[in-house]
Structures are given as structure tokens and as C-alpha cells.
Amino acid sequence: MAAITAAEQGLRQVVVLEATPEPLQKVRISGGGRCNVTHACWDPAELSSHYPRGSRPLRGPFSRFACGDAIAWFDEHGLTLVEEPDGRMFPQQNRSEAVIHCLQNAATAAGVQLRTKVMVQQVAAQTDGGFVVEGRGLEQPLKARKLMLATGGHPSGRQLAESLGHQVVPPVPSLFSLSLSTKTLAACSGIAIDDVNLDLKLGDQRFRQTGRVLITHRGLSGPATLRLSAFAARALHQSHYKGELKVDWSGGLGRQGVEQRLRQWRLDKARRTLIAANPFEHLPRRLWQAFLSSVALDVERRWADLPLKAERHLVDILCAQRLLIQGRGPFGEEFVTAGGVALGEVNLATMESRRCPGLYVAGELLDVDGVTGGFNFQACWSGGWLAGQAIAAVETAGARY
């Protein structure tokens, strides 16, 4: 985005150095191969619910280039975005390759030079301005008057930023699934439930989220779990990913509603079996069976014969099941990292470094991260557009590459 914007604003020589053979691989795999480009529901007052870190500083950048601007930008460059009921926006073609092709075509049309298989290993700031870039894949050092780092969560970017005088907030994983010590849900792998309430306790800290949860063979994932992990990222890291998670599966009924439903079923479905007459239509049969098994109930027992003690245990499980977290999802599964270049060291109006003039930083390399739903990509689009505009404004005013 930064390179395209700068080139479209009149810069004659814009070069992108990419370490991998193919650029935009994170775009390719995002959203299960669909790429959640941005989010339509964009209220500056609600940024704190979308960005665990960086919500307040981002108000400035988003006032200049936010969701609506990103939608218009992609539309102008030949990519139509379609809004889903929950506000997430995907390419009309419903595949990530469409976003990649859009960006690549825009870069080519603007005259951006892309050099792949170039791993930048060292950057030196020159006393008279500009930078000298060295790395694997470069036949000779590359000189540039302006330099932008947009290396995502890769450690190389943080190392380069530190070498240029920046303080880096130690990164920790964010947006990941939770592994549980219990095996009671293992048979329900693949089931997704809406309106699940998650309450995580870590020492004297508590984190809550409500939404869709996906049961996996290791534990829990899904949007609500990922959001929970994002807001609790540092606390989970400090606790070595151990803690107690309380889960409310009642779908908003609450304890009183669940108790009333079970009493009603005991009377109205007296001759039916527990497994045949599920009182909660939002709970799939496999999950309801798992709850029955967890309190040692014979699923063929009749409702009229349900012991009061077992009924109380069912209420506890449905409204406040306590699960022990034993770790996070597999290494590499996390979507983003919390941490990076400290925001106070960057002018967020231009994305230029306050420590190293001529250096620009954007994307996941900054200490900014959002929840799922297109918010992380939007921070990248906004930062890249601002950086491209700022670089072009300075360079076209008289400086040369």
C-alpha cells in the first residue's frame, strides 16, 4: 500500500524488497484463503473494543484513512468488497488471490519495482541523510533517501528497527486458540456455538468475551476465543498460558433460565429420554450428550427420573463450566503478535520515525494489534497509505532518490 501510494503520487523510483519468492503470503492464507480485507462497522468510539493495543493512538490515522477509504481505494483499483452480515468485508470473488492480484496490478501500473528473494540484513543511516541497505540477494548495497519497514511480525524487522535506535516492546503471541486439560469436549471437535460467554481468570485479572466458539480436538477456538486471547495476550504469556476459564453455554438464558427449562422438561417430557429430548435447541446433540456424560448420566434415562443432584450439576456445567487452560494452540497458529516498535516513537500522522528521520514504520511491526474481523489489515492499509503520502510529499517537493 505504501509503495503503490508513493508511486501514484509521483515518485519515479520505488523499490520493494521481499524476502520470500512470492509477496503477500499472509494475505493469501488469511481468512481461510478468503482474506477479510476490512470491517464495515467502523465507529472511532469503539476502537478500544477492536484494538487491545493502540486504540487511542490510531484515532488520528483512521481519521484520514479508515474503512470507507480502504473500500473506495480497492474499488478504484478494480476490487469490489462485499459486506457480510457481521460487518466483515471480503473480495467479491471470495478468495485471497483477488486481493493479491489487485495489489500487484496496482503496483505494476504505478511503476513499483518488486525484488523478491532479498533478505535485508543490515540498514545504516547516513549522516547526511538517507540509508544504505545490505542483505542476501543484493549484489551491491542499495542506497535510498527514504526507507520504510513493513516486515510484519518477523523478528528481522524488530532487529532492524532496534539497530536504527528504536525501542521495541517485547512481542508475544495474540489471536490464538486455547488448549484445555479436560478431555470432556474432545468428542465435540468441529462444533461451533454462538453466544457463548467466556470468563478468563489469571491471578487478579479477569477477561471476558461473548460470541461464537469453535470446539477443537485440543480445546477452544473461534472468534470469541481469539478475541479473548488478544486482550489477555500479555497476561496469558506471563502466566505461562495457565489459568481457569469459565464458560457459559446457556446462550443467554442464564442460571435462572436454565433451571426453569430443566424443571419444565422434567414435567413436559417426563417419559422421553434425556438424549432424545434436548431442552436447548442451540446445543447440538453431540455437545448435549457430552454434558450428560460429564455428570455420569445415562443418556437413556427418562426425564422423570433425573436426580436433583445431577440436575444441579447440569446447571453448573451449562452456566459456569470451569475448564483449566494448559497452553495455547500450536506454535505458528497465532495470527498476529502483540508488541513491536513503541508507538510513542512514531509520528502517526505520517508514520515517520521520531528517532530516525527518513525512516517509516507501519503494519504489525508497530505495537498495534486488533481482533479478528479485518481490523489488523485495516491498520496496515491506513499506515501504509499515510506513509506513502508522506514520503511522496517530501520527495516531490525537491528531494531525489
Side-chain angles (χ1 to χ4, degrees):
M1 178 66 79
I4 295 168
T5 301
E8 288 182 341
Q9 291 299 309
L11 288 193
R12 295 182 178 179
Q13 189 174 6
V14 181
V15 181
V16 174
L17 303 180
E18 167 64 43
T20 66
E22 294 289 338
L24 301 170
Q25 287 305 300
K26 197 157 191 177
V27 171
R28 186 181 302 279
I29 65 174
S30 68
R34 298 173 62 206
C35 188
N36 184 183
V37 178
T38 187
H39 200 287
C41 303
W42 205 267
D43 184 350
E46 297 181 359
L47 287 182
S48 61
S49 65
H50 303 317
Y51 294 92
R53 284 149 290 273
S55 59
R56 186 176 294 276
L58 284 175
R59 292 180 182 179
F62 288 155
S63 69
R64 296 185 59 196
F65 193 93
C67 169
D69 303 295
I71 295 171
W73 189 95
F74 280 104
D75 187 64
E76 291 169 2
H77 290 80
L79 182 71
T80 300
L81 300 181
V82 178
E83 180 181 350
E84 298 203 339
D86 61 2
R88 294 180 301 161
M89 301 202 70
F90 294 87
Q92 190 175 47
Q93 297 89 333
N94 209 31
R95 54 191 180 87
S96 300
E97 284 78 5
V99 182
I100 294 174
H101 292 158
C102 172
L103 293 169
Q104 288 179 330
N105 291 340
T108 300
V112 175
Q113 300 177 40
L114 172 63
R115 301 182 61 177
T116 60
K117 299 182 182 179
V118 175
M119 171 61 78
V120 175
Q121 297 171 312
Q122 183 175 334
V123 174
Q126 304 300 287
T127 55
D128 58 346
F131 302 87
V132 174
V133 180
E134 299 181 68
R136 188 170 64 247
L138 287 174
E139 295 180 0
Q140 59 185 8
L142 183 67
K143 295 182 179 180
R145 286 190 57 81
K146 305 295 180 185
L147 176 69
M148 180 175 178
L149 296 179
T151 54
H154 197 276
S156 63
R158 296 191 293 270
Q159 293 166 3
L160 291 172
E162 287 181 318
S163 72
L164 293 169
H166 274 287
Q167 175 187 353
V168 172
V169 179
V172 299
S174 182
L175 290 179
F176 50 83
S177 60
L178 297 174
S179 296
L180 305 175
S181 59
T182 179
K183 302 300 181 184
T184 58
L185 298 176
C188 301
S189 177
I191 290 178
I193 307 292
D194 291 318
D195 300 320
V196 177
N197 182 268
L198 303 176
D199 186 343
L200 173 62
K201 183 178 181 182
L202 298 170
D204 59 352
Q205 299 184 75
R206 300 189 78 171
F207 303 88
R208 296 180 176 90
Q209 287 291 331
T210 300
R212 189 173 183 83
V213 166
L214 171 67
I215 301 173
T216 72
H217 64 288
R218 285 189 173 90
L220 298 179
S221 187
T225 307
L226 298 178
R227 288 198 304 270
L228 185 75
S229 76
F231 282 93
R234 295 204 176 279
L236 279 165
H237 180 75
Q238 292 171 0
S239 69
H240 303 288
Y241 303 97
K242 306 290 183 182
E244 182 182 79
L245 180 66
K246 187 166 66 175
V247 184
D248 181 348
W249 302 96
S250 71
L253 286 174
R255 182 171 290 273
Q256 184 175 354
V258 169
E259 290 174 345
Q260 182 178 352
R261 184 72 60 86
L262 293 180
R263 287 195 298 268
Q264 179 184 345
W265 247 244
R266 183 190 292 275
L267 295 174
D268 297 346
K269 313 290 183 182
R271 296 186 178 182
R272 301 284 302 278
T273 64
L274 298 177
I275 190 62
N278 179 354
F280 308 100
E281 58 275 5
H282 70 286
L283 294 180
R285 178 185 175 93
R286 274 195 295 150
L287 185 56
W288 172 240
Q289 183 174 351
F291 290 155
L292 294 175
S293 299
S294 66
V295 294
L297 277 171
D298 181 354
V299 297
E300 298 300 328
R301 182 189 287 265
R302 298 187 309 165
W303 272 100
D305 301 327
L306 176 64
L308 288 176
K309 183 178 180 180
E311 181 180 312
R312 288 194 292 270
H313 284 170
L314 269 178
V315 173
D316 289 338
I317 288 176
L318 289 164
C319 299
Q321 185 178 26
R322 297 180 182 275
L323 304 170
L324 294 180
I325 299 173
Q326 67 174 6
R328 60 184 176 89
F331 176 76
E333 183 191 67
E334 60 274 359
F335 291 88
V336 298
T337 55
V341 174
L343 295 182
E345 299 183 353
V346 177
N347 179 356
L348 296 181
T350 62
M351 311 311 291
E352 185 175 12
S353 166
R354 299 183 188 275
R355 294 292 185 93
C356 183
L359 174 69
Y360 294 77
V361 184
E364 195 182 345
L365 179 55
L366 290 169
D367 185 24
V368 170
D369 61 289
V371 298
T372 58
F375 297 102
N376 284 293
F377 271 133
Q378 183 57 55
C380 294
W381 310 138
S382 297
W385 185 86
L386 287 170
Q389 290 280 335
I391 293 171
V394 172
E395 291 301 301
T396 56
R400 298 179 181 175
Y401 271 78

